[in-house]
């Protein structure tokens, strides 16, 4: 178990780092030409309230610095809540997990008083961990905003600021993604991307996507997602043809094979493809990482045939050596549309001038809550400003630490661990024989031991980790590794 000295100060100087709400730079804004809202955000009472709230949170979260078992006096009610929730939502939760509402970076308290080390973070959503002071501060700013939600007739300047930041970042190395539409889920961002591509390239009505991709669960996206179980009983909506994904064991052969299949589809359905749908790092598919030459060959072919190139970065956004995975792979010149989500809190569809939709195609009552938009902006700003990116940036270092630990474990437990796989803030290994049953068994055993992970892929099924990049440190990764080691030792002894 971690000592207090090692892990208590996940957010050491939070209370000293309070920033005053930053208004968007407006050329006409001078000291005398401020809105009442701007004056409210500069009110010293608001700064003092923030200081008090953050100090209170810090005092309470400090106690969360290591795995703890459930508290016996809370377990009865907790079990009842879990049971009731399972009934209400029409199915049990994957993990018996209900957060108490307080955490300390990668440590999270559950409503039964137990403490877990969260290395899956809601599948990448809590990329800055639990109870992060900068995000709480964004929440306070949102709480004094006039509306809870933003959307079609109700936008505020925070949406402008975040949209501008995403566009600037997307265009930083030559892409022409000068437009950005926010939305509340990855699926909605992807629906918007598809609609934009279909409208621009009508009457083309087919999609090319990679085998084992995951694009979301709407009626249309469950057709793109290459998993039959997720569309059981659903009507066919759009026509999708699949391309083999990159095979790292045979790079040149893999490019040749996929280009050949691409050409065969083009031959069979000339002029019918509206878009090439690319999940550059496959998340749900098992943390399969693509390759620049592979993607370039496909992008060139798509361009030749006037097919939109779409990158689905809902899971990989923020987690490679660049903010956008298409930048990591150097595809800036080819991407027409990109979608993002999860760590960004608000999802988005960015597109170039050529793919600008006609009025009416894309609109939503909700594009995001004010808090999620402010929090997304803090996260993206921090990721870009504080050394996370580059081949030797913080994310690369964190990956190296985790992957190195797993390599050492694989030497000790060769039957139990192969890999590691993944890239940057996405780490995975194949447990045992890669069967879904064994992967799920290990995932649940790790959960019981205090470490949260999740499965991904099929044949093999892997165990994946989405670290909370904005707060995780080497000692947390080492703590996670020790839990894996202990559980594998127990399993060894049981056999
Ligand atoms: C690559 C990818 N696309 C789309 C989605 C769908 O996002 P959401 O669950 O927010 O609708 C996901 C979610 O896991 C994803 O990983």
């Amino acid at each position: 178990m971690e000592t207090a000295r090692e892990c208590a100060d996940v957010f050491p100087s939070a209370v000293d780092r309070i920033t005053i709400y930053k208004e968007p730079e407006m050329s006409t804004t001078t000291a005398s030409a401020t809105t009442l809202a701007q004056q409210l955000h500069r009110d010293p009472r608001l700064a003092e309230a923030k200081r008090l709230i953050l100090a209170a949170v810090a005092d309470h979260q400090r106690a969360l610095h290591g795995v703890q078992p459930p508290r016996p006096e809370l377990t009865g009610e907790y079990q009842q809540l879990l049971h009731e929730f399972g009934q209400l939502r029409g199915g049990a939760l994957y993990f018996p997990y209900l957060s108490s509402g307080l955490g300390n970076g990668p440590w999270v308290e559950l409503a039964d008083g137990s403490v877990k080390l969260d290395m899956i973070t809601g599948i990448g959503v809590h990329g800055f961990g639990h109870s992060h002071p900068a995000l709480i501060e964004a929440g306070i700013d949102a709480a004094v905003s006039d509306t809870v939600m933003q959307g079609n007739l109700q936008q505020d300047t925070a949406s402008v600021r975040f949209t501008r930041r995403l566009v600037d970042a997307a265009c930083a190395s030559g892409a022409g993604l000068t437009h950005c539409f926010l939305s509340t889920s990855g699926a909605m961002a992807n629906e918007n991307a598809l609609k934009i591509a279909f409208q621009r390239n009508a009457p083309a009505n087919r999609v090319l996507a990679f085998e084992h991709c995951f694009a979301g669960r709407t009626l249309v996206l469950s057709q793109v997602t290459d998993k039959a179980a997720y569309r059981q009983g659903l009507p066919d909506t759009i026509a999708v043809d699949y391309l083999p994904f990159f095979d790292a064991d045979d790079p040149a052969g893999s490019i040749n094979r996929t280009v050949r299949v691409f050409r065969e589809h083009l031959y069979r359905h000339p002029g019918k493809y509206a878009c090439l749908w690319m999940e550059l790092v496959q998340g749900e598919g098992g943390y399969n990482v693509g390759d620049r030459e592979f993607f370039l060959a496909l992008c060139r072919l798509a361009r030749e045939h006037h097919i939109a190139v779409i990158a689905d970065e809902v899971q990989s956004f923020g987690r490679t050596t660049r903010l956008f995975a298409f930048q990591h792979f150097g595809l800036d010149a080819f991407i027409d549309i990109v979608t993002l989500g999860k760590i960004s809190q608000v999802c988005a569809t960015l597109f170039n001038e050529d793919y600008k939709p006609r009025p009416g195609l894309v609109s939503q009552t909700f594009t995001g809550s004010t808090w999620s938009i402010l929090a997304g902006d803090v996260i993206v700003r921090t990721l870009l400003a504080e050394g996370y990116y580059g081949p030797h940036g913080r994310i690369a270092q964190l990956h190296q630490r985790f992957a190195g630990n797993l390599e050492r474990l694989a030497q000790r437990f060769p039957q139990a661990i192969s890999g590691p796989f993944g890239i940057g803030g996405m780490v995975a290994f194949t447990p045992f024989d890669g069967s879904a049953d064994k992967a799920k068994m290990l995932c649940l055993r790790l959960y019981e031991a205090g470490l949260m992970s999740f499965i991904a892929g099929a044949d093999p099924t892997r165990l994946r980790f989405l670290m909370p990049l904005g707060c995780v440190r080497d000692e947390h990764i080492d703590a996670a590794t020790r839990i894996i080691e202990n559980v594998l030792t127990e399993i060894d002894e049981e056999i």
Side-chain angles (χ1 to χ4, degrees):
M1 196 166 291
E2 297 307 294
T3 65
R5 199 196 56 73
E6 272 177 328
C7 290
D9 291 337
V10 178
F11 306 119
S13 54
V15 179
D16 306 328
R17 286 179 54 184
I18 291 173
T19 53
I20 305 242
Y21 181 89
K22 294 192 184 58
E23 305 88 8
E25 308 80 49
M26 288 191 283
S27 53
T28 53
T29 304
T30 63
S32 59
T34 54
T35 62
L36 293 173
Q38 286 168 326
Q39 290 168 30
L40 166 64
H41 284 291
R42 289 172 189 167
D43 190 315
R45 288 172 296 179
L46 198 56
E48 182 56 16
K50 283 183 180 180
R51 236 182 296 281
L52 285 170
I53 290 170
L54 289 181
V57 172
D59 280 351
H60 291 277
Q61 73 183 167
R62 200 164 287 132
L64 304 172
H65 52 74
V67 171
Q68 291 290 339
R71 300 228 310 266
E73 69 277 22
L74 296 174
T75 49
E77 191 186 342
Y78 189 75
Q79 292 306 324
Q80 268 173 19
L81 282 174
L82 280 173
H83 176 75
E84 184 188 353
F85 196 30
Q87 293 289 321
L88 287 167
R89 66 193 287 282
L93 297 166
Y94 189 89
F95 293 124
Y97 174 98
L98 290 173
S99 158
S100 72
L102 186 69
N104 186 21
W107 306 105
V108 55
E109 182 192 48
L110 306 198
D112 63 0
S114 64
V115 179
K116 305 270 183 210
L117 178 54
D118 187 2
M119 288 289 188
I120 193 60
T121 58
I123 318 192
V125 179
H126 320 307
F128 272 43
H130 297 265
S131 303
H132 192 294
L135 304 190
I136 294 175
E137 196 192 338
I140 300 167
D141 286 325
V144 298
S145 166
D146 62 324
T147 60
V148 173
M149 300 299 288
Q150 301 192 28
N152 56 9
L153 296 187
Q154 180 60 58
Q155 309 277 7
D156 96 16
T157 53
S159 286
V160 185
R161 193 165 57 243
F162 188 41
T163 303
R164 185 201 293 143
R165 196 178 306 283
L166 290 175
V167 164
D168 287 351
C171 296
S173 43
L177 297 159
T178 48
H179 305 282
C180 170
F181 190 88
L182 302 181
S183 51
T184 44
S185 70
M188 201 59 227
N190 282 351
E191 282 274 336
N192 287 336
L194 274 180
K195 290 201 309 186
I196 288 169
F198 280 133
Q199 184 180 72
R200 162 70 177 73
N201 291 333
N205 60 0
R206 301 183 79 88
V207 173
L208 277 164
F210 291 129
E211 290 170 1
H212 312 303
C213 76
F214 181 87
R217 295 175 199 257
T218 62
L219 269 177
V220 160
L221 292 169
S222 55
Q223 303 294 325
V224 179
T225 293
D226 186 21
K227 188 148 180 173
Y230 293 171
R231 60 176 104 94
Q232 250 177 32
L234 303 184
D236 287 347
T237 47
I238 54 168
V240 184
D241 298 300
Y242 293 96
L243 302 171
F245 192 68
F246 179 66
D247 177 359
D249 293 333
D250 178 19
S254 168
I255 296 174
N256 289 340
R257 264 191 307 280
T258 300
V259 166
R260 196 186 63 237
V261 176
F262 195 152
R263 288 191 190 282
E264 284 167 6
H265 287 312
L266 289 171
Y267 178 75
R268 204 164 292 125
H269 302 289
K272 292 302 255 179
Y273 289 105
C275 64
L276 168 64
W277 187 272
M278 299 203 298
E279 195 187 351
L280 303 172
V281 181
Q282 294 195 318
E284 307 305 296
Y287 282 29
N288 308 313
V289 184
D291 167 81
R292 175 177 156 78
E293 294 308 318
F294 174 81
F295 292 132
L296 280 179
L298 304 182
C299 287
R300 288 195 188 106
L301 202 49
R303 182 65 55 91
E304 237 176 77
H305 291 267
H306 310 288
I307 296 169
V309 177
I310 303 181
D312 175 353
E313 299 197 19
V314 169
Q315 189 158 157
S316 58
F317 177 73
R319 291 187 172 269
T320 63
T321 62
R322 296 284 305 273
L323 186 67
F324 288 89
F326 76 77
Q327 297 171 327
H328 168 86
F329 290 109
L331 307 176
D332 305 66
F334 290 96
I335 301 297
D336 295 303
I337 304 172
V338 62
T339 58
L340 57 93
K342 296 193 187 277
I343 197 170
S344 51
Q345 310 302 302
V346 158
C347 303
T349 310
L350 287 91
F351 45 94
N352 65 26
E353 191 62 26
D354 199 25
Y355 279 87
K356 214 164 130 185
R358 290 198 285 277
L361 190 78
V362 171
S363 179
Q364 282 158 220
T365 303
F366 296 155
T367 47
S369 72
T370 305
W371 187 4
S372 61
I373 292 167
L374 287 171
D377 196 41
V378 168
I379 286 171
V380 171
R381 191 175 70 210
T382 307
L383 286 173
L384 288 172
E386 296 191 2
Y388 282 85
Y389 296 119
H392 308 292
R394 174 120 194 88
I395 292 176
Q397 288 168 20
L398 291 168
H399 181 90
Q400 222 176 349
R401 182 80 177 199
F402 211 157
N405 286 0
L406 289 173
E407 274 161 19
R408 276 188 291 282
L409 274 190
Q411 283 170 10
R412 196 176 146 200
F413 300 97
Q415 309 299 328
I417 293 191
S418 31
F421 305 95
I423 184 173
M426 305 169 75
V427 178
F429 68 85
T430 305
F432 304 104
D433 57 358
S435 67
D437 286 351
K438 292 224 169 90
K440 186 168 179 186
M441 176 276 290
L442 185 58
C443 184
L444 293 176
R445 291 281 297 253
L446 293 177
Y447 180 84
E448 279 165 30
L451 173 64
M452 296 184 63
S453 62
F454 196 41
I455 53 171
D459 290 328
T461 302
R462 290 181 174 151
L463 211 66
R464 66 174 139 166
F465 302 91
L466 286 157
M467 292 177 265
L469 299 173
C471 62
V472 74
R473 294 202 305 249
D474 286 353
E475 61 257 37
H476 304 128
I477 293 172
D478 295 348
T481 312
R482 280 196 295 279
I483 295 173
I484 300 170
E485 187 172 8
N486 291 342
V487 169
L488 289 179
T489 308
E490 277 170 25
I491 292 172
D492 244 7
E493 286 165 3
E494 288 163 15
I495 295 169

